[in-house]
Amino acid sequence: MKTLKKIKLDMWINAIMTVLIGVLFIIKPYDSFKVIAVIAGIMILCSGIFDLFYDLKIRLNTYFMQGSLFEGILKCILGIFIITHAGITIVLFSYVFSIFIIINGVICMETAVCMKDIFHVRCTSYVILSCIIILAGISMMFFSPDTVSAAALMAGIIFILNGIIDIIILYRLSKIGKKYALEMKDVFDEVNGNIIDE
């Protein structure tokens, strides 16, 4: 249940963060790029720190590996790089933010596969959408530094789409979680009823 809780928290943070970054890039794709880059870097760093703290908490309680550690380290490195190299980020925009888009796409895919494994539901559409996000991130790597405004606009659109996909998956996850919680309660009540009857 802790894993499901972590997935939901991670998805909410990613959804809110990606939508905010997307809106920032669409509103001002180039004018205040350094400010936007620093804000985006801080948000990515905060998300990475959250993943690291959660992974540490899980390790102390359960002594087994979680994917949060690797994601957290990647996000922290990327966030720190963006914050400390805001000027150079303009030149490397396509590469830096495409990496973050790819990481988010992988998180979406990981969540969809986890939903399929835990709840045995069809998640093909989410896997396909996640693959599209990953491919969009990869395609951004090939944008020329001369087209920063176009790349920022495209990144904004991809970030918002990524956030919307996260929110859709979260909605489905919540519905499935409630359904299974009710089924578990019914089973628990039935088991308790049998014990009382005996």
Side-chain angles (χ1 to χ4, degrees):
M1 223 41 186
K2 280 188 176 181
T3 306
L4 187 60
K5 193 176 177 183
K6 164 65 176 86
I7 288 169
K8 283 184 178 179
L9 278 169
D10 209 22
M11 291 288 287
W12 273 118
I13 289 168
N14 278 331
I16 292 164
M17 189 175 63
T18 51
V19 169
L20 286 174
I21 293 172
V23 169
L24 282 171
F25 282 134
I26 287 172
I27 291 171
K28 297 241 182 213
Y30 191 79
D31 299 339
S32 55
F33 194 81
K34 280 189 182 178
V35 176
I36 292 170
V38 169
I39 292 168
I42 290 167
M43 292 168 106
I44 292 166
L45 178 62
C46 289
S47 178
I49 290 169
F50 170 79
D51 281 350
L52 290 175
F53 274 115
Y54 193 87
D55 185 81
L56 180 66
K57 184 180 171 187
I58 290 291
R59 281 171 192 268
L60 290 174
N61 292 337
T62 60
Y63 305 104
F64 65 87
M65 299 287 283
Q66 293 288 318
S68 310
L69 179 65
F70 182 67
E71 288 168 12
I73 291 169
L74 274 179
K75 286 180 188 175
C76 285
I77 291 168
L78 191 60
I80 291 166
F81 178 81
I82 292 168
I83 293 165
T84 56
H85 297 80
I88 203 167
T89 305
I90 295 172
V91 178
L92 300 173
F93 176 85
S94 304
Y95 310 111
V96 172
F97 284 97
S98 63
I99 291 167
F100 184 69
I101 289 166
I102 292 165
I103 292 169
N104 268 346
V106 170
I107 290 169
C108 282
M109 187 181 290
E110 181 184 47
T111 305
V113 170
C114 200
M115 280 170 61
K116 183 180 174 287
D117 291 344
I118 294 171
F119 301 114
H120 307 291
V121 292
R122 291 185 66 226
C123 296
T124 312
S125 58
Y126 302 132
V127 172
I128 291 167
L129 288 170
S130 300
C131 286
I132 291 168
I133 293 291
I134 292 167
L135 289 173
I138 291 168
S139 70
M140 271 194 65
M141 287 185 172
F142 300 102
F143 268 73
S144 164
D146 301 331
T147 59
V148 171
S149 294
L153 196 60
M154 184 182 169
I157 293 165
I158 294 169
F159 275 119
I160 290 171
L161 286 173
N162 197 133
I164 291 167
I165 292 167
D166 282 352
I167 290 165
I168 291 167
I169 291 174
L170 274 166
Y171 173 73
R172 178 102 188 264
L173 199 58
S174 294
K175 276 182 76 174
I176 293 167
K178 284 177 186 173
K179 179 187 162 195
Y180 275 87
L182 286 171
E183 285 178 17
M184 291 299 288
K185 186 181 180 305
D186 291 344
V187 169
F188 184 74
D189 289 344
E190 191 177 314
V191 169
N192 278 344
N194 288 344
I195 292 167
I196 291 166
D197 291 343
E198 288 172 5

